[in-house]
Amino acid sequence: MSALFEVEGLSRRFGGILAVDSVSFSLAEGEILGIIGPNGSGKSTLFNCILGQLRPTAGRVRFAGRDITGMRPSALARLGIGRTFQLLQIFPGLEVRANLLAAGQEHRGSMAGRLFGPPDAGLAEEVERMLAFFRLAHLAREPAGSLSYGQQKLLDIAMAFMAGPRLVFLDEPAGGVNPGMLAELGERLRLLNRERGASFVLIEHNIEFVMGLCSRVLVMAEGRIIAEGAPEAVRADPEVIEAYLGG
Amino acid sequence: MSAGRLAGPAIGLAVTILLLLLPLTLRGYGIYLMSLWAVLTIAAMGLNLTLGYAGQVSLAQGAFVGIGAYAAALLTTAGWPLALGMAVGVGLGLIVGWLLGYPALRVQHHYLAFVTLGANTLLFLVFRNEDWLTGGVYGIPGIPRPRIFGLATDDPLVFYYFCLAMLLLVTLALGLLLRSPWGRAFEALRENPVRAESLGIDTRRYTLLAFAIGSAVGSLAGTVYAPLVQYIDPYPFALGMSLNLLLMVVVGGSGRFFGPWLGAAIAVLLPEWLRFSEGLYLVFYALLVILVLVFLPGGLMGIAERLRLGRRPVAG
């Protein structure tokens, strides 16, 4: 089976520090992969190198058979790679509906079509579906910044899925979400995976959340992958326990 | 609810009637002021797109009015129709505005303000020093008023209606533009450029477009300004006009569609109302700007918004 997504020997150096040290992994279509590891283990730097925020010092990234190393975030998004950020990233001054429209409008048609075509870029139905799916329909006309934290988090994730991406990177989706909302969020993500066939890579500190969602887990420490496998197996790995607990 | 829905169109109708009928009661100077208001509103609406919607600071809008004014002045005094002057002026505004956008890809906020301020000075020096083209400090006199569909606009009142028609056309065009996905992309760029980029919005391209379009609208205002004043020299297009246009946008309400209409009205009328204070006019104006910035970050249009939101039931 050929992989949907592959990282090969990716490294990123900051001065004398190797924040990411020749990391390699791959992902099959439809898979949900979790990346865990203590703070400062290089997870976010790895994401930023993959997603065009940082230029990797070495290594290759491939998506659907294509070399995407060092491509700009907007180009990656248009190829079908979505992402969310560790801290909420929405357009707080725009209405919820406009947030979703902005998230989907650049993925089809031409610049001229976006200037002279319909204001909703033909996305009205998809927006309605997303609003209903994330239970935000009653807030469609509210400024996004006026929503509660949990609702903003759902909107943030809904935006990443507006254009029907094949692969989505989620940076701590459970961070700051209350337990009630967390179950809901996990459920929504599982549904998106099953119904839309979207693959995920997620960084997460909430181990329970990762265990419940992911079929495979990578553990990072000091920039390297120290363990890989099924969630239960990884959890019992002495080296992983050492990385978390050891000095 | 229905009363609230009708408030917008009702105000629009009242303002349109006022703009159509008020000049009939005015004499030459009053008509000139209203024409100047229409022209400056066009330029401020262009800046409002760049600054208010796309969030890119520009302190060079006055120089773009200058580009349009010189294009119109040079071509019409050489016997060409104003329409050609407009096409050339807007074309130059687009090109130079696009180029001005490049620094914005590297620097933002007050650094960008300095870069655009430098660009304004550069363009001013071109207007002043390249006398073979611009007439230097002597300027260009005798700029003719255009003929519109065979109708002479030498009469101030007729020319005022030409200015008003241009303002309404620009307002309509910008309204359509800002409702389109382009407008949404500009706002996304202002609200959160990193997120916009991650959602496939090409932030480089939209930044350049915001500068090009906003600047070109400024140049279009310049092509109407030249036949209005009929004599241009470089000095109006120094930093003063850029700062004035910036204040119009901020006082009216940055990122509010009709903000420049109000902001420009205040900038044009206030000096007249404050004439009794003689030298103190600038002090009053500065005071007003400070008060607006402190108490009304949404500008004067922000007051209307607050009233509307205040009455609306809070969503659950």
Side-chain angles (χ1 to χ4, degrees), chain B residues 71-162:
Chain B
L74 287 168
L75 286 163
T76 56
T77 51
W80 297 95
L82 182 61
L84 181 70
M86 287 180 152
V88 171
V90 169
L92 279 173
L94 273 176
I95 294 166
V96 180
W98 181 275
L99 295 176
L100 181 66
Y102 278 96
L105 303 176
R106 307 205 134 257
V107 295
Q108 284 277 299
H109 308 302
H110 38 290
Y111 298 101
L112 182 57
F114 276 115
V115 172
T116 54
L117 190 148
N120 195 119
T121 305
L122 194 72
L123 287 165
F124 167 73
L125 289 176
V126 171
F127 300 148
R128 198 190 64 186
N129 296 350
E130 302 302 312
D131 8 22
W132 60 273
L133 180 68
T134 65
V137 291
Y138 299 107
I140 302 172
I143 300 165
R145 295 259 163 102
R147 294 183 76 85
I148 312 292
F149 303 122
L151 177 71
T153 59
D154 294 302
D155 181 70
L157 192 62
V158 177
F159 191 76
Y160 162 76
Y161 286 120
F162 169 64

Side-chain angles (χ1 to χ4, degrees), chain A residues 110-126:
Chain A
S110 61
M111 283 300 281
R114 284 191 277 280
L115 180 57
F116 297 111
D120 65 15
L123 290 167
E125 280 178 30
E126 182 61 13

Side-chain angles (χ1 to χ4, degrees), chain A residues 73-117:
Chain A
S74 57
L76 294 175
R78 287 196 295 266
L79 282 179
I81 300 177
R83 79 165 297 185
T84 65
F85 292 79
Q86 190 171 354
L87 298 172
L88 265 178
Q89 298 286 352
I90 57 171
F91 306 121
L94 305 188
E95 288 177 355
V96 168
R97 188 168 181 278
N99 271 264
L100 291 170
L101 287 171
Q105 69 178 33
E106 303 290 323
H107 292 264
R108 49 177 167 173
S110 61
M111 283 300 281
R114 284 191 277 280
L115 180 57
F116 297 111

Side-chain angles (χ1 to χ4, degrees), chain A residues 72-74 77-78 83 85 89-93 98 101-102 105-107 111 114-115 119 139 142 156 159, chain B residues 177 179-182 184-185 187-188 190-192 194-202 204-206 209 315-316:
Chain A
R72 291 178 53 205
S74 57
R78 287 196 295 266
R83 79 165 297 185
F85 292 79
Q89 298 286 352
I90 57 171
F91 306 121
L101 287 171
Q105 69 178 33
E106 303 290 323
H107 292 264
M111 283 300 281
R114 284 191 277 280
L115 180 57
L139 301 167
E142 298 299 318
D156 192 5
M159 285 161 74
Chain B
L177 172 71
R179 278 167 59 94
S180 80
W182 282 34
R184 200 178 300 113
E187 289 184 288
R190 175 197 70 204
E191 289 285 311
N192 191 340
V194 174
R195 182 55 159 156
E197 176 75 23
S198 83
L199 292 167
I201 296 172
D202 189 336
R204 292 172 59 97
R205 183 187 280 170
Y206 279 109
L209 278 171

Side-chain angles (χ1 to χ4, degrees), chain B residues 19 29 45 55 58 74 81 108 159 193 195 269 271-272 299:
Chain B
L19 290 175
Y29 188 60
M45 288 187 95
S58 171
L74 287 168
Q108 284 277 299
F159 191 76
R195 182 55 159 156
L269 290 178
E272 305 303 321

Side-chain angles (χ1 to χ4, degrees), chain A residues 3-6 62-66 166:
Chain A
L4 172 69
F5 178 77
E6 264 178 301
R62 264 184 288 276
F63 172 69
R66 180 172 175 169
R166 287 175 73 186

